């Protein structure tokens, strides 16, 4: 039972992470390698609010969401003026900066040793479920919140504008709207929803180390987006399912622990390579050619 | 004498050729160009391929930065703005809309969404107290959408296209002529007072040109000023109020449509 709950929580977290990344990568056509960093900032903010300020979980979560949106806007400031390769490079730079900060600000983040003892939110008295069962319920609720928010956003004028921007950037500018502003908003929203996953991760693990939020994590999330699909929310669910369950499946098949992780990397590496060269590139290219 | 909406003085632009792999050097595409456009008139630019007509439009709406010169635009309230140095969205919000050469619709959006894109972000003249009322934005949005629909429906009715039945069609699936009409309808519903139309007749059958001419009349009726690029000389003669011949980077000849077309024909030897 505990195992099922564990998988359920991890799955929920990656559903949020992949769906948030899909907004940037799929809908705004901006390849971001900084999603892992946003995951990290949200987690550290939650942990620090709870540890240093003694806040309870939900205020800490809200703070993480808001701060992540702000950090998203700060990244967007230089990044959205750039397109294509240059955008990727800025997000990569951002990823490295956040990683280095978590490693080197050891007074605050505990450095490479990490940050431990993050308290779990206490289960309400009236709920006859275990600690992790409660976290699973919280995760479920946050997944619903994140997906509803992203769904409504895509159905709104914001979503229509985003579609129009990817369709024909010059025409979008002619309509009097600023592509830069819209891209910045997309990055901020994506960072904010990412923080929902971060907060649960922090209290579920009760321990944070920089290694969980490095480039590997960003690429892992990116793989989830590519695997599932670039446009629909249910594709994000599929992507999350595959990236979470595939490694578990390999383990269940009895692959030795020493090979497991590298096998997974080989598999995901191959998948990414195939997807990027055959499907994704075409979509991005057809778009760029039109915008020449 | 009608008031002027666009006044271009001493405009110059050169491109470096090395970037295009054609050896070193510069191409002076626009040099010391002067041009003015009157309100609610169709003003046509004639010129051979590569004369710099599209470049001129790019300079006006901010896709390309001018090397020197000034472009002054007078908005519907008569206020003057210097356009050089402004960004495209900013210029668009002042009241300049543009139809691009080729396809000028959002191909993946429905017709109605395309029309809505031509509307600006709600330019509300209400006080913040009024805006605080519950449901204000929803009401405002609905009213704006209804007004837009009526206006667009009237336009499409003239070409016997039923907007109500087709509004959810994806623009990319429409025929070239229908896409052109949609672009022109976007011009009608947009609040812009100056329209830059880049070859609205290209790719259309000669039978369909009457339709475009009619749409231009409709635009004029809506008090829109039009700067037009067009290669079809019969169409130019029929629709232009004034006409300019662009060659060597500046206006060689200005006059009525008939005059300039006659000169252009002798020049081109046809
Ligand atoms: N961004 C650019 N960089 C370099 N050269 C350019 C650029 N844009 C246009 N040119 C050159 O400027 C010249 C004028 O191009 P422009 O597109 O304005 O012509 P045009 O009059 O619109 O022609 P057409 O009737 O074929 O549409 C061409 O020789 C073109 O190669
Ligand atoms: Mg041209």
């Amino acid at each position: 039972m505990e195992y099922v709950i564990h998988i359920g929580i991890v799955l929920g977290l990656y559903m949020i992470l992949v769906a948030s990344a899909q907004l940037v990568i799929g809908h705004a056509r901006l390849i971001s390698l900084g999603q892992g960093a946003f995951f990290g900032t949200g987690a550290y903010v939650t942990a620090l609010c709870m540890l240093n300020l003694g806040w309870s979980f939900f205020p800490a979560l809200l703070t993480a969401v808001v701060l992540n949106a702000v950090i998203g806007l700060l990244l967007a400031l230089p990044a959205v003026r750039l397109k294509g390769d240059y955008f990727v490079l800025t997000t990569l730079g951002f990823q490295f900066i956040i990683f280095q900060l978590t490693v080197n600000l050891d007074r605050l983040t505990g450095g490479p040793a990490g940050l431990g003892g993050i308290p779990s939110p206490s289960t309400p008295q009236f709920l006859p479920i275990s600690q992790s069962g409660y976290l699973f319920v919280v995760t479920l609720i946050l997944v619903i919140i994140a997906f509803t928010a992203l769904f409504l956003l895509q159905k709104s004028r914001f979503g229509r504008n985003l579609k129009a921007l990817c369709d024909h950037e010059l025409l979008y500018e002619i309509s009097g709207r600023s592509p830069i502003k819209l891209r910045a908003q997309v990055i901020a929203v994506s960072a904010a929803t990412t923080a929902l996953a971060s907060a649960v991760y922090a209290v579920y693990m009760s321990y944070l180390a920089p290694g969980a939020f490095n480039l590997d994590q960003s690429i892992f999330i990116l793989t989830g987006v590519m695997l599932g699909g670039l446009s629909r929310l249910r594709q994000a669910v599929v992507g999350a399912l595959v990236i979470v369950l595939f490694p578990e499946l390999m383990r269940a098949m009895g692959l030795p622990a020493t090979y497991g992780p590298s096998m997974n990397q080989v598999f995901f590496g191959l998948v990414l390579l195939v997807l990027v060269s055959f499907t994704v590139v075409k979509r991005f290219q057809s778009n760029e050619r039109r915008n020449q | 004498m009608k008031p002027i909406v666009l006044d271009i003085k001493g405009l110059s632009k050169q491109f470096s050729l090395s970037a295009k792999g054609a050896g070193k050097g510069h191409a002076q595409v626009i040099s010391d160009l002067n041009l003015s456009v009157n309100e609610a008139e169709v003003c046509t630019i004639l010129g051979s391929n590569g004369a710099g007509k599209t470049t001129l439009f790019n300079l006006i709406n901010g896709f390309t930065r001018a090397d020197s010169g000034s472009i002054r635009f007078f908005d519907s309230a008569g206020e003057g703005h210097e356009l050089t140095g402004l960004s495209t969205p900013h210029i668009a919000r002042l009241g300049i809309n543009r139809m691009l050469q080729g396809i000028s619709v959002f191909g993946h959006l429905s017709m109605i969404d395309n029309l809505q894109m031509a509307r600006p972000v709600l330019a509300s003249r209400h006080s913040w107290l009024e805006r605080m009322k519950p449901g204000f934005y929803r009401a405002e949005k609905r009213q704006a959408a209804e007004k837009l629909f009526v206006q667009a429906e009237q336009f499409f009715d003239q070409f016997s296209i039923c907007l109500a039945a087709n509004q959810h069609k994806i623009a990319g699936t429409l025929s070239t002529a229908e896409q052109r009409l949609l672009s022109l309808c976007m011009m009608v519903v947009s609040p812009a007072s100056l329209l830059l139309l880049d070859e609205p007749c290209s790719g259309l059958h000669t039978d369909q040109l009457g339709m475009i001419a009619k749409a231009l009349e409709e635009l004029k009726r809506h008090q829109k000023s039009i700067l037009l690029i067009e290669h079809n000389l019969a169409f130019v003669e029929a629709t232009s109020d004034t006409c300019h011949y662009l060659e060597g980077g500046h206006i060689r000849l200005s006059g009525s449509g008939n005059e300039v077309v006659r000169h252009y024909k002798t020049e081109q030897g046809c």
Side-chain angles (χ1 to χ4, degrees), chain B residues 208-222:
Chain B
Q208 294 166 322
L209 299 190
M211 197 169 73
I212 304 294
K214 197 166 154 191
L216 290 194
E217 280 305 312
E218 178 71 13
L219 286 170
K220 265 167 82 173
R221 209 173 56 75
H222 281 84

Side-chain angles (χ1 to χ4, degrees), chain B:
Chain B
M1 193 64 200
K2 288 181 178 172
I4 287 175
V5 287
L6 190 73
D7 193 15
I8 301 178
K9 287 218 164 69
L11 192 67
S12 295
K13 176 70 193 175
Q14 65 176 356
F15 290 113
S16 71
L17 289 174
S18 50
K20 295 193 85 192
K24 290 269 182 308
H26 297 282
Q28 191 75 38
V29 177
I30 302 289
S31 71
D32 197 21
L33 179 141
N34 299 306
L35 175 73
S36 60
V37 180
N38 295 330
E39 193 173 273
E41 273 192 9
V42 176
C43 172
T44 308
I45 311 280
L46 267 183
S48 45
N49 289 101
K53 304 179 296 299
T54 301
T55 304
L56 175 62
F57 276 14
N58 286 343
L59 290 168
I60 295 171
N61 90 324
F63 282 160
T64 312
R65 287 275 141 99
D67 297 332
S68 59
S70 96
I71 305 173
R72 282 191 74 74
F73 169 65
F74 299 88
D75 64 20
S76 46
E79 197 182 326
H81 305 270
E82 177 59 46
L83 300 184
T84 46
L86 299 183
S87 71
T88 298
H90 190 158
I91 291 171
R93 285 196 297 272
L94 291 176
I96 298 183
N97 204 337
R98 173 168 174 186
M99 193 170 147
L100 296 168
Q101 197 168 349
I103 294 169
S104 191
V105 295
F106 297 103
H108 290 93
L109 261 53
S110 65
M111 279 180 86
I112 194 73
D113 277 347
N114 266 285
L115 292 169
Q116 260 155 8
M117 284 303 293
R119 288 277 190 175
V121 212
L122 280 190
S124 178
R125 279 168 215 85
H126 297 267
S127 75
W128 65 269
L129 244 176
E130 279 177 293
R131 292 183 200 206
M132 292 296 280
K133 279 187 203 145
F136 170 83
Y137 278 103
R138 203 173 310 152
E140 171 116 327
K141 232 170 103 176
R142 208 195 48 235
Q143 274 172 12
E146 277 167 8
K147 204 172 135 209
L148 169 93
F149 191 87
V150 169
Q151 218 177 353
E153 201 175 29
Q154 276 172 2
F155 178 84
F156 279 114
D157 275 348
Q158 300 178 11
F159 305 99
S160 10
I161 294 176
C162 175
L163 182 62
N166 292 303
Q167 56 172 324
H168 296 301
K169 268 198 186 160
I170 301 299
T173 64
L174 301 172
S175 71
T176 310
E178 286 167 331
Q179 284 186 2
R180 235 14 100 65
L181 282 179
L182 177 57
S183 302
L184 286 164
C185 187
M186 285 162 76
M187 302 288 146
V188 172
V189 300
S190 104
S193 54
L194 174 65
L195 311 176
L196 312 177
L197 310 183
D198 200 341
E199 302 194 18
C201 298
S202 72
L204 295 184
H205 194 265
T206 33
D207 298 347
Q208 294 166 322
L209 299 190
M211 197 169 73
I212 304 294
K214 197 166 154 191
L216 290 194
E217 280 305 312
E218 178 71 13
L219 286 170
K220 265 167 82 173
R221 209 173 56 75
H222 281 84
Q223 289 304 306
K224 312 260 186 205
S225 317
I226 297 168
L227 193 54
L228 175 75
I229 295 176
E230 190 43 64
H231 281 299
N232 187 307
L233 297 179
F235 184 85
V236 171
E237 277 183 309
T239 54
S240 330
D241 294 304
T242 54
C243 186
H244 304 273
Y245 176 40
L246 176 66
E247 200 204 54
H250 49 261
I251 304 297
R252 275 269 304 277
L253 183 71
S254 304
S256 72
N258 297 338
E259 283 164 16
V260 179
V261 166
R262 202 179 322 125
H263 175 84
Y264 183 75
K265 275 180 177 162
T266 49
E267 189 97 337
Q268 302 280 315
C270 59

Side-chain angles (χ1 to χ4, degrees), chain A residues 55-290:
Chain A
W55 292 5
S56 60
F57 176 66
F58 290 102
L61 176 141
L62 264 182
T63 314
V65 169
V66 173
L67 266 182
N68 248 21
V70 173
I71 295 170
L73 284 179
L74 286 181
L75 165 69
L77 229 49
V80 291
R81 289 170 197 284
L82 310 167
K83 270 188 286 181
D85 306 345
Y86 302 105
F87 178 82
V88 182
L89 287 180
T90 357
T91 58
L92 190 64
F94 171 70
Q95 172 68 50
F96 288 144
I97 290 170
I98 296 296
F99 182 74
Q100 287 305 328
L101 285 179
T102 51
V103 171
N104 291 312
L105 288 178
D106 36 9
R107 284 273 182 73
L108 204 60
T109 65
L115 203 60
I118 303 160
S120 218
S122 45
T123 316
Q125 300 274 302
F126 57 87
L127 281 178
I129 47 175
S130 69
Q131 182 68 51
S132 52
Y134 175 59
L135 269 185
F136 175 73
V137 173
V138 170
T139 310
L140 199 64
I141 292 171
L142 291 180
V143 168
I144 292 171
I145 290 177
F147 273 66
T148 312
L150 289 172
F151 179 78
L152 291 179
L153 208 62
Q154 286 167 23
K155 291 285 159 230
S156 71
R157 203 185 327 202
F158 179 88
R160 184 204 63 203
N161 284 354
L162 197 52
K163 228 162 124 184
L165 173 62
C166 290
D167 214 348
H168 204 317
E169 182 159 347
L170 296 182
L171 210 51
Y172 186 81
E173 288 191 51
I174 289 173
S175 83
R177 298 166 175 88
S178 159
I180 292 174
K181 213 164 122 189
L182 188 62
R183 291 207 183 95
Q185 287 167 347
V186 165
I187 293 172
V189 168
S190 166
T193 48
T194 296
L196 295 176
S198 311
V200 175
Y201 179 86
V203 293
Y204 180 56
M205 300 305 283
S206 88
Y207 165 77
L208 299 179
F213 313 112
N214 57 12
L215 183 60
D216 288 359
Q217 183 68 266
S218 289
I219 293 178
F220 194 55
I221 297 169
L222 178 78
T223 313
V225 177
M226 301 284 179
L227 264 170
L230 294 172
S231 46
R232 293 182 187 284
L233 277 172
R234 60 169 179 271
Q235 294 176 322
V237 177
V238 174
L241 271 170
V242 177
I243 59 170
V244 172
L245 295 186
F246 180 79
E248 295 299 321
L249 208 72
M250 294 302 271
R251 198 159 53 202
M253 272 163 43
L255 219 67
T258 40
Y259 295 146
S262 43
M263 274 300 293
N264 292 336
Q265 282 199 350
V266 169
F267 171 73
F268 287 129
L270 276 176
V271 165
L272 202 57
L273 199 74
V274 171
L275 284 175
V276 166
S277 45
F278 288 111
T279 62
V280 182
V281 165
K282 269 190 205 138
R283 249 177 95 166
F284 277 70
Q285 269 178 349
S286 67
N287 204 48
E288 272 168 22
R289 211 172 297 135
R290 186 131 32 88

